[in-house]
């Protein structure tokens, strides 16, 4: 029998793929959920959940929705690579509204960051959670900014945050890259549960991937403190996906995959190890 948080949880991005998975999982635990999204919620609402359609750029509504909530799970905003002007509103200004609401409510923020905040690291590397950001586009850049915002609000205002650098959270892995980066819906839901229920977290980073034996890219995060151990694995898909590669050298070289190739305009690739010489 799972614990229940003392206060309701505000969930943004509730109508997206991961939001819907989470509403089902947390709703089944009997949690009180305040749901919001810019799109209507397509599923039946679980008991104890309410939904309000809202835009993250509407700071007043975000403050009102957060009233009385102890945690904000922030999945909302632009979730793929898009032009700068489309990203900046939801992912930068919207995030500011989330953090201001958390500050006022003394709530914790669980932030859906992304592997695209470090996407230009090479696949041969093994990165600790405090590695340097190497965003692979405007979307990844917004996620790096979001993590830094979490750090600033922790040091300046004592707002706690768990920054989850999600790899590829889909029903099943669909290409060779995902043999490393895949996170199952079950592991994701259990992680969110631990992020909410763990008594004190500070401001920490988690690599969001399942227990894939090829998951050698990412290490040394705060999972032990949260009591989260992923139990699913992409390994059973290895046979069928080993050859599922794109043939694009930029995409296959870096952790961020296809996002690295979008609008890529270097005439020659950078040296293998990113550094000061790469100008
Ligand atoms: C992400 O951050 C995206 O939200 C998702 O659509 C996938 O592209 C994922 O990363 C990934 O890298 O596989």
């Amino acid at each position: 029998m799972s614990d229940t948080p003392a206060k309701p949880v505000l969930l943004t991005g509730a109508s997206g793929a991961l939001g819907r998975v989470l509403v089902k999982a947390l709703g089944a635990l009997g949690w009180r959920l305040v749901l919001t999204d810019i799109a209507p919620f397509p599923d039946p609402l679980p008991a104890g959940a309410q939904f309000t359609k809202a835009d993250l750029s509407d700071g007043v509504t975000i403050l009102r929705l957060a009233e009385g909530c102890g945690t904000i799970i922030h999945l909302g905003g632009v979730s793929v690579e898009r032009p700068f002007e489309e990203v900046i509103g939801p992912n930068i200004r919207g995030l500011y509204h989330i953090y201001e609401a958390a500050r006022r409510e003394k709530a914790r923020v669980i932030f859906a960051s992304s592997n695209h905040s470090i996407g230009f690291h090479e696949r041969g590397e093994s990165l600790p959670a405090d590695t340097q950001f190497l965003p692979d586009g405007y979307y990844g850049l917004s996620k790096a900014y979001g993590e830094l915002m979490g750090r600033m609000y922790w040091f300046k205002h004592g707002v706690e945050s768990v920054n989850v650098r999600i790899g590829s959270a889909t029903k099943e892995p669909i290409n060779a890259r995902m043999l490393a980066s895949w996170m199952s819906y079950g592991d994701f839901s259990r992680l969110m549960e631990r992020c909410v229920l763990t008594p004190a977290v500070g401001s920490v980073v988690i690599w969001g991937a399942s227990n894939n034996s090829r998951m050698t890219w990412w290490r040394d995060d705060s999972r032990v403190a949260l009591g989260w151990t992923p139990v699913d694995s992409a390994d059973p898909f290895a046979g069928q996906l080993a050859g599922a590669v794109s043939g694009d050298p930029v995409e296959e070289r870096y952790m961020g995959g296809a996002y690295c190739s979008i609008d890529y305009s270097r005439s020659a690739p950078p040296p293998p190890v990113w550094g000061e010489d790469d100008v």
Side-chain angles (χ1 to χ4, degrees):
M1 176 69 186
S2 160
D3 293 334
T4 302
K7 293 181 175 183
V9 173
L10 171 59
L11 173 64
T12 72
S15 306
L18 284 185
R20 292 168 67 188
V21 164
L22 210 50
V23 171
K24 209 166 168 192
L26 302 182
L29 298 174
W31 290 17
R32 285 176 295 160
L33 301 173
V34 179
L35 310 175
T36 185
D37 200 297
I38 199 165
F41 189 69
D43 305 323
L45 281 177
Q50 60 182 75
F51 176 82
T52 305
K53 195 168 169 298
D55 190 326
L56 290 168
S57 67
D58 177 358
V60 174
T61 301
I62 299 299
L63 280 179
R64 186 175 57 73
L65 288 171
E67 260 170 29
C69 291
T71 312
I72 305 175
I73 301 181
H74 182 45
L75 309 183
V78 172
S79 63
V80 291
E81 177 62 353
R82 298 299 301 160
F84 177 75
E85 293 297 347
E86 287 179 39
V87 171
I88 191 163
N91 289 23
I92 304 294
R93 192 176 292 279
L95 192 74
Y96 163 71
H97 294 148
I98 294 293
Y99 267 97
E100 276 302 290
R103 176 182 170 185
R104 199 174 75 170
E105 296 299 322
K106 302 196 185 321
R108 176 181 300 170
V109 176
I110 317 299
F111 175 53
S113 182
S114 168
N115 73 88
H116 296 290
S117 65
I118 54 85
F120 268 123
H121 280 281
E122 304 220 4
R123 294 188 187 183
E125 294 178 70
S126 168
L127 308 176
D130 63 357
T131 192
Q132 71 180 325
F133 289 115
L134 283 185
D136 55 29
Y138 298 116
Y139 164 69
L141 192 57
S142 77
K143 294 299 184 182
Y145 185 88
E147 290 193 31
L148 289 172
M149 190 179 280
R151 211 174 292 174
M152 188 276 272
Y153 270 77
W154 166 242
F155 277 94
K156 201 156 199 174
H157 305 298
V159 174
E160 290 194 318
S161 59
V162 184
N163 299 276
V164 183
R165 282 183 200 142
I166 300 174
S168 307
T170 52
K171 193 156 182 269
E172 288 185 354
I174 57 164
N175 56 37
R177 170 176 170 266
M178 288 193 195
L179 294 174
S181 65
W182 185 64
M183 178 158 64
S184 73
Y185 286 160
D187 282 336
F188 171 72
S189 299
R190 287 182 286 273
L191 170 59
M192 292 296 113
E193 207 184 316
R194 293 309 309 151
C195 289
V196 175
L197 293 175
T198 301
V201 297
S203 179
V204 294
V205 172
I206 298 285
W207 295 111
S210 280
N211 184 27
N212 314 319
S213 56
R214 286 167 181 72
M215 218 294 275
T216 53
W217 299 353
W218 304 323
R219 61 183 165 86
D220 296 343
D221 63 8
S222 295
R223 65 190 57 203
V224 172
L226 290 179
W228 178 67
T229 309
V231 296
D232 295 322
S233 174
D235 293 4
F237 297 86
Q240 74 197 67
L241 294 179
V245 290
S246 65
D248 175 336
V250 174
E251 174 173 343
E252 297 302 331
R253 177 172 175 173
Y254 298 111
M255 292 179 184
Y259 285 41
C260 299
S261 307
I262 298 173
D263 198 27
Y264 188 84
S265 69
R266 280 184 81 107
S267 50
V273 179
W274 186 90
E276 287 172 2
D277 294 343
D278 177 33
V279 289

